[in-house]
mmCIF file with all atom_site columns, all heavy atoms in Angstrom:
data_model
loop_
_atom_site.group_PDB
_atom_site.id
_atom_site.type_symbol
_atom_site.label_atom_id
_atom_site.label_alt_id
_atom_site.label_comp_id
_atom_site.label_asym_id
_atom_site.label_entity_id
_atom_site.label_seq_id
_atom_site.pdbx_PDB_ins_code
_atom_site.Cartn_x
_atom_site.Cartn_y
_atom_site.Cartn_z
_atom_site.occupancy
_atom_site.B_iso_or_equiv
_atom_site.pdbx_formal_charge
_atom_site.auth_seq_id
_atom_site.auth_comp_id
_atom_site.auth_asym_id
_atom_site.auth_atom_id
_atom_site.pdbx_PDB_model_num
ATOM 1   N N   . GLU N 1 1  ? 6.164  -1.758 15.621  1.00 0.00 ? 246 GLU N N   1
ATOM 2   C CA  . GLU N 1 1  ? 5.281  -2.473 14.697  1.00 0.00 ? 246 GLU N CA  1
ATOM 3   C C   . GLU N 1 1  ? 6.045  -2.768 13.413  1.00 0.00 ? 246 GLU N C   1
ATOM 4   O O   . GLU N 1 1  ? 6.925  -2.008 13.012  1.00 0.00 ? 246 GLU N O   1
ATOM 5   C CB  . GLU N 1 1  ? 4.037  -1.628 14.378  1.00 0.00 ? 246 GLU N CB  1
ATOM 6   C CG  . GLU N 1 1  ? 3.038  -2.301 13.466  1.00 0.00 ? 246 GLU N CG  1
ATOM 7   C CD  . GLU N 1 1  ? 1.813  -1.443 13.136  1.00 0.00 ? 246 GLU N CD  1
ATOM 8   O OE1 . GLU N 1 1  ? 1.642  -0.355 13.732  1.00 0.00 ? 246 GLU N OE1 1
ATOM 9   O OE2 . GLU N 1 1  ? 1.031  -1.871 12.279  1.00 0.00 ? 246 GLU N OE2 1
ATOM 10  N N   . THR N 1 2  ? 5.674  -3.860 12.778  1.00 0.00 ? 247 THR N N   1
ATOM 11  C CA  . THR N 1 2  ? 6.186  -4.185 11.449  1.00 0.00 ? 247 THR N CA  1
ATOM 12  C C   . THR N 1 2  ? 4.992  -4.236 10.508  1.00 0.00 ? 247 THR N C   1
ATOM 13  O O   . THR N 1 2  ? 3.958  -4.822 10.846  1.00 0.00 ? 247 THR N O   1
ATOM 14  C CB  . THR N 1 2  ? 6.925  -5.541 11.453  1.00 0.00 ? 247 THR N CB  1
ATOM 15  O OG1 . THR N 1 2  ? 8.027  -5.456 12.363  1.00 0.00 ? 247 THR N OG1 1
ATOM 16  C CG2 . THR N 1 2  ? 7.455  -5.872 10.070  1.00 0.00 ? 247 THR N CG2 1
ATOM 17  N N   . VAL N 1 3  ? 5.141  -3.603 9.338   1.00 0.00 ? 248 VAL N N   1
ATOM 18  C CA  . VAL N 1 3  ? 4.068  -3.579 8.345   1.00 0.00 ? 248 VAL N CA  1
ATOM 19  C C   . VAL N 1 3  ? 4.554  -4.260 7.074   1.00 0.00 ? 248 VAL N C   1
ATOM 20  O O   . VAL N 1 3  ? 5.756  -4.317 6.806   1.00 0.00 ? 248 VAL N O   1
ATOM 21  C CB  . VAL N 1 3  ? 3.607  -2.138 8.036   1.00 0.00 ? 248 VAL N CB  1
ATOM 22  C CG1 . VAL N 1 3  ? 2.998  -1.484 9.264   1.00 0.00 ? 248 VAL N CG1 1
ATOM 23  C CG2 . VAL N 1 3  ? 4.739  -1.290 7.484   1.00 0.00 ? 248 VAL N CG2 1
ATOM 24  N N   . LEU N 1 4  ? 3.621  -4.764 6.302   1.00 0.00 ? 249 LEU N N   1
ATOM 25  C CA  . LEU N 1 4  ? 3.909  -5.371 5.012   1.00 0.00 ? 249 LEU N CA  1
ATOM 26  C C   . LEU N 1 4  ? 3.428  -4.399 3.948   1.00 0.00 ? 249 LEU N C   1
ATOM 27  O O   . LEU N 1 4  ? 2.262  -3.992 3.959   1.00 0.00 ? 249 LEU N O   1
ATOM 28  C CB  . LEU N 1 4  ? 3.199  -6.716 4.889   1.00 0.00 ? 249 LEU N CB  1
ATOM 29  C CG  . LEU N 1 4  ? 3.536  -7.557 3.679   1.00 0.00 ? 249 LEU N CG  1
ATOM 30  C CD1 . LEU N 1 4  ? 5.009  -7.964 3.713   1.00 0.00 ? 249 LEU N CD1 1
ATOM 31  C CD2 . LEU N 1 4  ? 2.654  -8.797 3.643   1.00 0.00 ? 249 LEU N CD2 1
ATOM 32  N N   . VAL N 1 5  ? 4.332  -3.995 3.054   1.00 0.00 ? 250 VAL N N   1
ATOM 33  C CA  . VAL N 1 5  ? 4.019  -2.999 2.028   1.00 0.00 ? 250 VAL N CA  1
ATOM 34  C C   . VAL N 1 5  ? 4.198  -3.642 0.656   1.00 0.00 ? 250 VAL N C   1
ATOM 35  O O   . VAL N 1 5  ? 5.277  -4.147 0.339   1.00 0.00 ? 250 VAL N O   1
ATOM 36  C CB  . VAL N 1 5  ? 4.937  -1.766 2.159   1.00 0.00 ? 250 VAL N CB  1
ATOM 37  C CG1 . VAL N 1 5  ? 4.624  -0.740 1.079   1.00 0.00 ? 250 VAL N CG1 1
ATOM 38  C CG2 . VAL N 1 5  ? 4.807  -1.149 3.544   1.00 0.00 ? 250 VAL N CG2 1
ATOM 39  N N   . ALA N 1 6  ? 3.128  -3.614 -0.149  1.00 0.00 ? 251 ALA N N   1
ATOM 40  C CA  . ALA N 1 6  ? 3.170  -4.169 -1.501  1.00 0.00 ? 251 ALA N CA  1
ATOM 41  C C   . ALA N 1 6  ? 2.978  -3.040 -2.509  1.00 0.00 ? 251 ALA N C   1
ATOM 42  O O   . ALA N 1 6  ? 1.893  -2.464 -2.594  1.00 0.00 ? 251 ALA N O   1
ATOM 43  C CB  . ALA N 1 6  ? 2.079  -5.220 -1.671  1.00 0.00 ? 251 ALA N CB  1
ATOM 44  N N   . PRO N 1 7  ? 4.038  -2.687 -3.267  1.00 0.00 ? 252 PRO N N   1
ATOM 45  C CA  . PRO N 1 7  ? 3.910  -1.615 -4.248  1.00 0.00 ? 252 PRO N CA  1
ATOM 46  C C   . PRO N 1 7  ? 3.348  -2.116 -5.573  1.00 0.00 ? 252 PRO N C   1
ATOM 47  O O   . PRO N 1 7  ? 3.605  -3.246 -5.970  1.00 0.00 ? 252 PRO N O   1
ATOM 48  C CB  . PRO N 1 7  ? 5.361  -1.153 -4.428  1.00 0.00 ? 252 PRO N CB  1
ATOM 49  C CG  . PRO N 1 7  ? 6.160  -2.393 -4.194  1.00 0.00 ? 252 PRO N CG  1
ATOM 50  C CD  . PRO N 1 7  ? 5.398  -3.179 -3.152  1.00 0.00 ? 252 PRO N CD  1
ATOM 51  N N   . ASP N 1 8  ? 2.571  -1.285 -6.221  1.00 0.00 ? 253 ASP N N   1
ATOM 52  C CA  . ASP N 1 8  ? 2.146  -1.532 -7.601  1.00 0.00 ? 253 ASP N CA  1
ATOM 53  C C   . ASP N 1 8  ? 2.777  -0.416 -8.419  1.00 0.00 ? 253 ASP N C   1
ATOM 54  O O   . ASP N 1 8  ? 2.394  0.747  -8.291  1.00 0.00 ? 253 ASP N O   1
ATOM 55  C CB  . ASP N 1 8  ? 0.629  -1.506 -7.722  1.00 0.00 ? 253 ASP N CB  1
ATOM 56  C CG  . ASP N 1 8  ? 0.156  -1.888 -9.128  1.00 0.00 ? 253 ASP N CG  1
ATOM 57  O OD1 . ASP N 1 8  ? 0.980  -1.852 -10.075 1.00 0.00 ? 253 ASP N OD1 1
ATOM 58  O OD2 . ASP N 1 8  ? -1.028 -2.208 -9.285  1.00 0.00 ? 253 ASP N OD2 1
ATOM 59  N N   . ASP N 1 9  ? 3.770  -0.777 -9.238  1.00 0.00 ? 254 ASP N N   1
ATOM 60  C CA  . ASP N 1 9  ? 4.539  0.242  -9.940  1.00 0.00 ? 254 ASP N CA  1
ATOM 61  C C   . ASP N 1 9  ? 4.012  0.549  -11.337 1.00 0.00 ? 254 ASP N C   1
ATOM 62  O O   . ASP N 1 9  ? 4.730  1.044  -12.190 1.00 0.00 ? 254 ASP N O   1
ATOM 63  C CB  . ASP N 1 9  ? 6.019  -0.129 -9.991  1.00 0.00 ? 254 ASP N CB  1
ATOM 64  C CG  . ASP N 1 9  ? 6.285  -1.442 -10.699 1.00 0.00 ? 254 ASP N CG  1
ATOM 65  O OD1 . ASP N 1 9  ? 5.325  -2.059 -11.185 1.00 0.00 ? 254 ASP N OD1 1
ATOM 66  O OD2 . ASP N 1 9  ? 7.450  -1.850 -10.763 1.00 0.00 ? 254 ASP N OD2 1
ATOM 67  N N   . SER N 1 10 ? 2.731  0.285  -11.560 1.00 0.00 ? 255 SER N N   1
ATOM 68  C CA  . SER N 1 10 ? 2.111  0.712  -12.811 1.00 0.00 ? 255 SER N CA  1
ATOM 69  C C   . SER N 1 10 ? 1.121  1.824  -12.492 1.00 0.00 ? 255 SER N C   1
ATOM 70  O O   . SER N 1 10 ? 0.567  1.868  -11.400 1.00 0.00 ? 255 SER N O   1
ATOM 71  C CB  . SER N 1 10 ? 1.425  -0.469 -13.502 1.00 0.00 ? 255 SER N CB  1
ATOM 72  O OG  . SER N 1 10 ? 0.446  -1.033 -12.663 1.00 0.00 ? 255 SER N OG  1
ATOM 73  N N   . TYR N 1 11 ? 0.932  2.728  -13.442 1.00 0.00 ? 256 TYR N N   1
ATOM 74  C CA  . TYR N 1 11 ? 0.074  3.882  -13.213 1.00 0.00 ? 256 TYR N CA  1
ATOM 75  C C   . TYR N 1 11 ? -1.387 3.469  -13.238 1.00 0.00 ? 256 TYR N C   1
ATOM 76  O O   . TYR N 1 11 ? -1.769 2.711  -14.121 1.00 0.00 ? 256 TYR N O   1
ATOM 77  C CB  . TYR N 1 11 ? 0.348  4.956  -14.273 1.00 0.00 ? 256 TYR N CB  1
ATOM 78  C CG  . TYR N 1 11 ? -0.346 6.249  -13.962 1.00 0.00 ? 256 TYR N CG  1
ATOM 79  C CD1 . TYR N 1 11 ? 0.211  7.151  -13.088 1.00 0.00 ? 256 TYR N CD1 1
ATOM 80  C CD2 . TYR N 1 11 ? -1.577 6.535  -14.510 1.00 0.00 ? 256 TYR N CD2 1
ATOM 81  C CE1 . TYR N 1 11 ? -0.436 8.329  -12.762 1.00 0.00 ? 256 TYR N CE1 1
ATOM 82  C CE2 . TYR N 1 11 ? -2.231 7.706  -14.197 1.00 0.00 ? 256 TYR N CE2 1
ATOM 83  C CZ  . TYR N 1 11 ? -1.649 8.599  -13.331 1.00 0.00 ? 256 TYR N CZ  1
ATOM 84  O OH  . TYR N 1 11 ? -2.301 9.757  -13.014 1.00 0.00 ? 256 TYR N OH  1
ATOM 85  N N   . PRO N 1 12 ? -2.249 3.919  -12.346 1.00 0.00 ? 257 PRO N N   1
ATOM 86  C CA  . PRO N 1 12 ? -1.934 4.764  -11.202 1.00 0.00 ? 257 PRO N CA  1
ATOM 87  C C   . PRO N 1 12 ? -1.228 3.953  -10.115 1.00 0.00 ? 257 PRO N C   1
ATOM 88  O O   . PRO N 1 12 ? -1.585 2.817  -9.844  1.00 0.00 ? 257 PRO N O   1
ATOM 89  C CB  . PRO N 1 12 ? -3.295 5.267  -10.725 1.00 0.00 ? 257 PRO N CB  1
ATOM 90  C CG  . PRO N 1 12 ? -4.248 4.205  -11.162 1.00 0.00 ? 257 PRO N CG  1
ATOM 91  C CD  . PRO N 1 12 ? -3.674 3.606  -12.418 1.00 0.00 ? 257 PRO N CD  1
ATOM 92  N N   . TYR N 1 13 ? -0.240 4.559  -9.497  1.00 0.00 ? 258 TYR N N   1
ATOM 93  C CA  . TYR N 1 13 ? 0.597  3.886  -8.521  1.00 0.00 ? 258 TYR N CA  1
ATOM 94  C C   . TYR N 1 13 ? -0.164 3.660  -7.223  1.00 0.00 ? 258 TYR N C   1
ATOM 95  O O   . TYR N 1 13 ? -1.068 4.420  -6.880  1.00 0.00 ? 258 TYR N O   1
ATOM 96  C CB  . TYR N 1 13 ? 1.854  4.719  -8.238  1.00 0.00 ? 258 TYR N CB  1
ATOM 97  C CG  . TYR N 1 13 ? 2.663  4.943  -9.479  1.00 0.00 ? 258 TYR N CG  1
ATOM 98  C CD1 . TYR N 1 13 ? 2.562  6.131  -10.193 1.00 0.00 ? 258 TYR N CD1 1
ATOM 99  C CD2 . TYR N 1 13 ? 3.508  3.955  -9.952  1.00 0.00 ? 258 TYR N CD2 1
ATOM 100 C CE1 . TYR N 1 13 ? 3.294  6.323  -11.352 1.00 0.00 ? 258 TYR N CE1 1
ATOM 101 C CE2 . TYR N 1 13 ? 4.245  4.146  -11.113 1.00 0.00 ? 258 TYR N CE2 1
ATOM 102 C CZ  . TYR N 1 13 ? 4.133  5.333  -11.811 1.00 0.00 ? 258 TYR N CZ  1
ATOM 103 O OH  . TYR N 1 13 ? 4.851  5.521  -12.957 1.00 0.00 ? 258 TYR N OH  1
ATOM 104 N N   . SER N 1 14 ? 0.237  2.597  -6.513  1.00 0.00 ? 259 SER N N   1
ATOM 105 C CA  . SER N 1 14 ? -0.381 2.353  -5.211  1.00 0.00 ? 259 SER N CA  1
ATOM 106 C C   . SER N 1 14 ? 0.546  1.540  -4.326  1.00 0.00 ? 259 SER N C   1
ATOM 107 O O   . SER N 1 14 ? 1.446  0.837  -4.810  1.00 0.00 ? 259 SER N O   1
ATOM 108 C CB  . SER N 1 14 ? -1.725 1.624  -5.365  1.00 0.00 ? 259 SER N CB  1
ATOM 109 O OG  . SER N 1 14 ? -1.522 0.320  -5.872  1.00 0.00 ? 259 SER N OG  1
ATOM 110 N N   . LEU N 1 15 ? 0.308  1.679  -3.024  1.00 0.00 ? 260 LEU N N   1
ATOM 111 C CA  . LEU N 1 15 ? 0.956  0.848  -2.015  1.00 0.00 ? 260 LEU N CA  1
ATOM 112 C C   . LEU N 1 15 ? -0.168 0.198  -1.221  1.00 0.00 ? 260 LEU N C   1
ATOM 113 O O   . LEU N 1 15 ? -1.049 0.897  -0.713  1.00 0.00 ? 260 LEU N O   1
ATOM 114 C CB  . LEU N 1 15 ? 1.805  1.684  -1.052  1.00 0.00 ? 260 LEU N CB  1
ATOM 115 C CG  . LEU N 1 15 ? 3.058  2.352  -1.570  1.00 0.00 ? 260 LEU N CG  1
ATOM 116 C CD1 . LEU N 1 15 ? 3.717  3.158  -0.443  1.00 0.00 ? 260 LEU N CD1 1
ATOM 117 C CD2 . LEU N 1 15 ? 4.031  1.331  -2.117  1.00 0.00 ? 260 LEU N CD2 1
ATOM 118 N N   . THR N 1 16 ? -0.131 -1.116 -1.131  1.00 0.00 ? 261 THR N N   1
ATOM 119 C CA  . THR N 1 16 ? -1.081 -1.824 -0.280  1.00 0.00 ? 261 THR N CA  1
ATOM 120 C C   . THR N 1 16 ? -0.336 -2.138 1.007   1.00 0.00 ? 261 THR N C   1
ATOM 121 O O   . THR N 1 16 ? 0.709  -2.783 0.986   1.00 0.00 ? 261 THR N O   1
ATOM 122 C CB  . THR N 1 16 ? -1.575 -3.110 -0.950  1.00 0.00 ? 261 THR N CB  1
ATOM 123 O OG1 . THR N 1 16 ? -2.203 -2.760 -2.199  1.00 0.00 ? 261 THR N OG1 1
ATOM 124 C CG2 . THR N 1 16 ? -2.575 -3.839 -0.066  1.00 0.00 ? 261 THR N CG2 1
ATOM 125 N N   . VAL N 1 17 ? -0.864 -1.636 2.106   1.00 0.00 ? 262 VAL N N   1
ATOM 126 C CA  . VAL N 1 17 ? -0.200 -1.768 3.402   1.00 0.00 ? 262 VAL N CA  1
ATOM 127 C C   . VAL N 1 17 ? -1.034 -2.657 4.310   1.00 0.00 ? 262 VAL N C   1
ATOM 128 O O   . VAL N 1 17 ? -2.233 -2.410 4.492   1.00 0.00 ? 262 VAL N O   1
ATOM 129 C CB  . VAL N 1 17 ? -0.005 -0.388 4.061   1.00 0.00 ? 262 VAL N CB  1
ATOM 130 C CG1 . VAL N 1 17 ? 0.618  -0.534 5.433   1.00 0.00 ? 262 VAL N CG1 1
ATOM 131 C CG2 . VAL N 1 17 ? 0.842  0.510  3.164   1.00 0.00 ? 262 VAL N CG2 1
ATOM 132 N N   . CYS N 1 18 ? -0.390 -3.673 4.859   1.00 0.00 ? 263 CYS N N   1
ATOM 133 C CA  . CYS N 1 18 ? -1.043 -4.539 5.842   1.00 0.00 ? 263 CYS N CA  1
ATOM 134 C C   . CYS N 1 18 ? -0.394 -4.268 7.192   1.00 0.00 ? 263 CYS N C   1
ATOM 135 O O   . CYS N 1 18 ? 0.811  -4.468 7.373   1.00 0.00 ? 263 CYS N O   1
ATOM 136 C CB  . CYS N 1 18 ? -0.896 -5.999 5.445   1.00 0.00 ? 263 CYS N CB  1
ATOM 137 S SG  . CYS N 1 18 ? -1.799 -7.112 6.538   1.00 0.00 ? 263 CYS N SG  1
ATOM 138 N N   . ARG N 1 19 ? -1.203 -3.770 8.129   1.00 0.00 ? 264 ARG N N   1
ATOM 139 C CA  . ARG N 1 19 ? -0.731 -3.439 9.469   1.00 0.00 ? 264 ARG N CA  1
ATOM 140 C C   . ARG N 1 19 ? -0.702 -4.687 10.339  1.00 0.00 ? 264 ARG N C   1
ATOM 141 O O   . ARG N 1 19 ? -1.298 -5.710 10.009  1.00 0.00 ? 264 ARG N O   1
ATOM 142 C CB  . ARG N 1 19 ? -1.637 -2.384 10.114  1.00 0.00 ? 264 ARG N CB  1
ATOM 143 C CG  . ARG N 1 19 ? -1.795 -1.068 9.365   1.00 0.00 ? 264 ARG N CG  1
ATOM 144 C CD  . ARG N 1 19 ? -0.612 -0.136 9.506   1.00 0.00 ? 264 ARG N CD  1
ATOM 145 N NE  . ARG N 1 19 ? -0.235 0.198  10.847  1.00 0.00 ? 264 ARG N NE  1
ATOM 146 C CZ  . ARG N 1 19 ? -0.606 1.290  11.515  1.00 0.00 ? 264 ARG N CZ  1
ATOM 147 N NH1 . ARG N 1 19 ? -1.412 2.165  10.954  1.00 0.00 ? 264 ARG N NH1 1
ATOM 148 N NH2 . ARG N 1 19 ? -0.165 1.513  12.745  1.00 0.00 ? 264 ARG N NH2 1
ATOM 149 N N   . ALA N 1 20 ? -0.030 -4.594 11.463  1.00 0.00 ? 265 ALA N N   1
ATOM 150 C CA  . ALA N 1 20 ? 0.072  -5.712 12.406  1.00 0.00 ? 265 ALA N CA  1
ATOM 151 C C   . ALA N 1 20 ? -1.309 -6.166 12.885  1.00 0.00 ? 265 ALA N C   1
ATOM 152 O O   . ALA N 1 20 ? -1.511 -7.343 13.177  1.00 0.00 ? 265 ALA N O   1
ATOM 153 C CB  . ALA N 1 20 ? 0.940  -5.319 13.590  1.00 0.00 ? 265 ALA N CB  1
ATOM 154 N N   . SER N 1 21 ? -2.262 -5.254 12.914  1.00 0.00 ? 266 SER N N   1
ATOM 155 C CA  . SER N 1 21 ? -3.627 -5.571 13.345  1.00 0.00 ? 266 SER N CA  1
ATOM 156 C C   . SER N 1 21 ? -4.378 -6.404 12.312  1.00 0.00 ? 266 SER N C   1
ATOM 157 O O   . SER N 1 21 ? -5.460 -6.919 12.590  1.00 0.00 ? 266 SER N O   1
ATOM 158 C CB  . SER N 1 21 ? -4.407 -4.275 13.576  1.00 0.00 ? 266 SER N CB  1
ATOM 159 O OG  . SER N 1 21 ? -4.558 -3.581 12.346  1.00 0.00 ? 266 SER N OG  1
ATOM 160 N N   . GLY N 1 22 ? -3.822 -6.514 11.102  1.00 0.00 ? 267 GLY N N   1
ATOM 161 C CA  . GLY N 1 22 ? -4.497 -7.213 10.011  1.00 0.00 ? 267 GLY N CA  1
ATOM 162 C C   . GLY N 1 22 ? -5.220 -6.269 9.071   1.00 0.00 ? 267 GLY N C   1
ATOM 163 O O   . GLY N 1 22 ? -5.658 -6.661 7.995   1.00 0.00 ? 267 GLY N O   1
ATOM 164 N N   . GLU N 1 23 ? -5.344 -4.996 9.489   1.00 0.00 ? 268 GLU N N   1
ATOM 165 C CA  . GLU N 1 23 ? -5.988 -3.996 8.640   1.00 0.00 ? 268 GLU N CA  1
ATOM 166 C C   . GLU N 1 23 ? -5.159 -3.799 7.371   1.00 0.00 ? 268 GLU N C   1
ATOM 167 O O   . GLU N 1 23 ? -3.936 -3.688 7.418   1.00 0.00 ? 268 GLU N O   1
ATOM 168 C CB  . GLU N 1 23 ? -6.088 -2.664 9.391   1.00 0.00 ? 268 GLU N CB  1
ATOM 169 C CG  . GLU N 1 23 ? -6.612 -1.534 8.541   1.00 0.00 ? 268 GLU N CG  1
ATOM 170 C CD  . GLU N 1 23 ? -6.505 -0.179 9.227   1.00 0.00 ? 268 GLU N CD  1
ATOM 171 O OE1 . GLU N 1 23 ? -5.714 -0.033 10.176  1.00 0.00 ? 268 GLU N OE1 1
ATOM 172 O OE2 . GLU N 1 23 ? -7.207 0.726  8.778   1.00 0.00 ? 268 GLU N OE2 1
ATOM 173 N N   . GLU N 1 24 ? -5.842 -3.760 6.224   1.00 0.00 ? 269 GLU N N   1
ATOM 174 C CA  . GLU N 1 24 ? -5.163 -3.547 4.946   1.00 0.00 ? 269 GLU N CA  1
ATOM 175 C C   . GLU N 1 24 ? -5.737 -2.293 4.292   1.00 0.00 ? 269 GLU N C   1
ATOM 176 O O   . GLU N 1 24 ? -6.954 -2.149 4.193   1.00 0.00 ? 269 GLU N O   1
ATOM 177 C CB  . GLU N 1 24 ? -5.359 -4.767 4.039   1.00 0.00 ? 269 GLU N CB  1
ATOM 178 C CG  . GLU N 1 24 ? -4.512 -4.734 2.794   1.00 0.00 ? 269 GLU N CG  1
ATOM 179 C CD  . GLU N 1 24 ? -4.596 -6.038 2.019   1.00 0.00 ? 269 GLU N CD  1
ATOM 180 O OE1 . GLU N 1 24 ? -3.934 -7.016 2.415   1.00 0.00 ? 269 GLU N OE1 1
ATOM 181 O OE2 . GLU N 1 24 ? -5.330 -6.062 1.013   1.00 0.00 ? 269 GLU N OE2 1
ATOM 182 N N   . VAL N 1 25 ? -4.837 -1.386 3.883   1.00 0.00 ? 270 VAL N N   1
ATOM 183 C CA  . VAL N 1 25 ? -5.254 -0.126 3.271   1.00 0.00 ? 270 VAL N CA  1
ATOM 184 C C   . VAL N 1 25 ? -4.433 0.091  2.010   1.00 0.00 ? 270 VAL N C   1
ATOM 185 O O   . VAL N 1 25 ? -3.229 -0.200 1.988   1.00 0.00 ? 270 VAL N O   1
ATOM 186 C CB  . VAL N 1 25 ? -5.054 1.069  4.239   1.00 0.00 ? 270 VAL N CB  1
ATOM 187 C CG1 . VAL N 1 25 ? -5.443 2.379  3.579   1.00 0.00 ? 270 VAL N CG1 1
ATOM 188 C CG2 . VAL N 1 25 ? -5.850 0.863  5.521   1.00 0.00 ? 270 VAL N CG2 1
ATOM 189 N N   . VAL N 1 26 ? -5.082 0.621  0.977   1.00 0.00 ? 271 VAL N N   1
ATOM 190 C CA  . VAL N 1 26 ? -4.398 0.943  -0.276  1.00 0.00 ? 271 VAL N CA  1
ATOM 191 C C   . VAL N 1 26 ? -4.247 2.452  -0.367  1.00 0.00 ? 271 VAL N C   1
ATOM 192 O O   . VAL N 1 26 ? -5.217 3.197  -0.209  1.00 0.00 ? 271 VAL N O   1
ATOM 193 C CB  . VAL N 1 26 ? -5.178 0.409  -1.496  1.00 0.00 ? 271 VAL N CB  1
ATOM 194 C CG1 . VAL N 1 26 ? -4.484 0.821  -2.791  1.00 0.00 ? 271 VAL N CG1 1
ATOM 195 C CG2 . VAL N 1 26 ? -5.340 -1.101 -1.419  1.00 0.00 ? 271 VAL N CG2 1
ATOM 196 N N   . TYR N 1 27 ? -3.016 2.901  -0.599  1.00 0.00 ? 272 TYR N N   1
ATOM 197 C CA  . TYR N 1 27 ? -2.711 4.317  -0.783  1.00 0.00 ? 272 TYR N CA  1
ATOM 198 C C   . TYR N 1 27 ? -2.363 4.508  -2.252  1.00 0.00 ? 272 TYR N C   1
ATOM 199 O O   . TYR N 1 27 ? -1.436 3.873  -2.758  1.00 0.00 ? 272 TYR N O   1
ATOM 200 C CB  . TYR N 1 27 ? -1.542 4.742  0.102   1.00 0.00 ? 272 TYR N CB  1
ATOM 201 C CG  . TYR N 1 27 ? -1.847 4.594  1.571   1.00 0.00 ? 272 TYR N CG  1
ATOM 202 C CD1 . TYR N 1 27 ? -1.591 3.401  2.233   1.00 0.00 ? 272 TYR N CD1 1
ATOM 203 C CD2 . TYR N 1 27 ? -2.443 5.631  2.279   1.00 0.00 ? 272 TYR N CD2 1
ATOM 204 C CE1 . TYR N 1 27 ? -1.901 3.254  3.576   1.00 0.00 ? 272 TYR N CE1 1
ATOM 205 C CE2 . TYR N 1 27 ? -2.759 5.483  3.620   1.00 0.00 ? 272 TYR N CE2 1
ATOM 206 C CZ  . TYR N 1 27 ? -2.485 4.296  4.261   1.00 0.00 ? 272 TYR N CZ  1
ATOM 207 O OH  . TYR N 1 27 ? -2.811 4.147  5.586   1.00 0.00 ? 272 TYR N OH  1
ATOM 208 N N   . SER N 1 28 ? -3.096 5.373  -2.944  1.00 0.00 ? 273 SER N N   1
ATOM 209 C CA  . SER N 1 28 ? -2.876 5.624  -4.368  1.00 0.00 ? 273 SER N CA  1
ATOM 210 C C   . SER N 1 28 ? -2.330 7.021  -4.571  1.00 0.00 ? 273 SER N C   1
ATOM 211 O O   . SER N 1 28 ? -2.564 7.914  -3.752  1.00 0.00 ? 273 SER N O   1
ATOM 212 C CB  . SER N 1 28 ? -4.193 5.480  -5.146  1.00 0.00 ? 273 SER N CB  1
ATOM 213 O OG  . SER N 1 28 ? -4.696 4.176  -4.992  1.00 0.00 ? 273 SER N OG  1
ATOM 214 N N   . GLY N 1 29 ? -1.613 7.220  -5.700  1.00 0.00 ? 274 GLY N N   1
ATOM 215 C CA  . GLY N 1 29 ? -1.079 8.539  -5.970  1.00 0.00 ? 274 GLY N CA  1
ATOM 216 C C   . GLY N 1 29 ? -0.394 8.627  -7.319  1.00 0.00 ? 274 GLY N C   1
ATOM 217 O O   . GLY N 1 29 ? -0.332 7.653  -8.072  1.00 0.00 ? 274 GLY N O   1
ATOM 218 N N   . GLU N 1 30 ? 0.130  9.805  -7.598  1.00 0.00 ? 275 GLU N N   1
ATOM 219 C CA  . GLU N 1 30 ? 0.806  10.082 -8.865  1.00 0.00 ? 275 GLU N CA  1
ATOM 220 C C   . GLU N 1 30 ? 2.177  9.421  -8.966  1.00 0.00 ? 275 GLU N C   1
ATOM 221 O O   . GLU N 1 30 ? 2.741  9.345  -10.039 1.00 0.00 ? 275 GLU N O   1
ATOM 222 C CB  . GLU N 1 30 ? 0.950  11.593 -9.065  1.00 0.00 ? 275 GLU N CB  1
ATOM 223 C CG  . GLU N 1 30 ? -0.369 12.298 -9.296  1.00 0.00 ? 275 GLU N CG  1
ATOM 224 C CD  . GLU N 1 30 ? -1.045 11.858 -10.587 1.00 0.00 ? 275 GLU N CD  1
ATOM 225 O OE1 . GLU N 1 30 ? -0.371 11.794 -11.634 1.00 0.00 ? 275 GLU N OE1 1
ATOM 226 O OE2 . GLU N 1 30 ? -2.249 11.559 -10.540 1.00 0.00 ? 275 GLU N OE2 1
#
C-alpha cells in the first residue's frame, strides 16, 4: 500500500494520513 501523509508542524502537531481506501485520519501529538 502507498499512503499520503501531510504533516502540520505547528503545535499541536498532527499528521493527516490518507489511505489507499480513501480513508483519511488525523493523528495528533506532542
Side-chain angles (χ1 to χ4, degrees):
E246 182 181 352
T247 300
V248 296
L249 188 64
V250 179
D253 185 343
D254 60 2
S255 59
Y256 189 83
Y258 301 99
S259 66
L260 292 179
T261 301
V262 177
C263 185
R264 302 283 304 264
S266 65
E268 174 189 20
E269 189 172 281
V270 178
V271 177
Y272 297 89
S273 300
E275 292 296 313

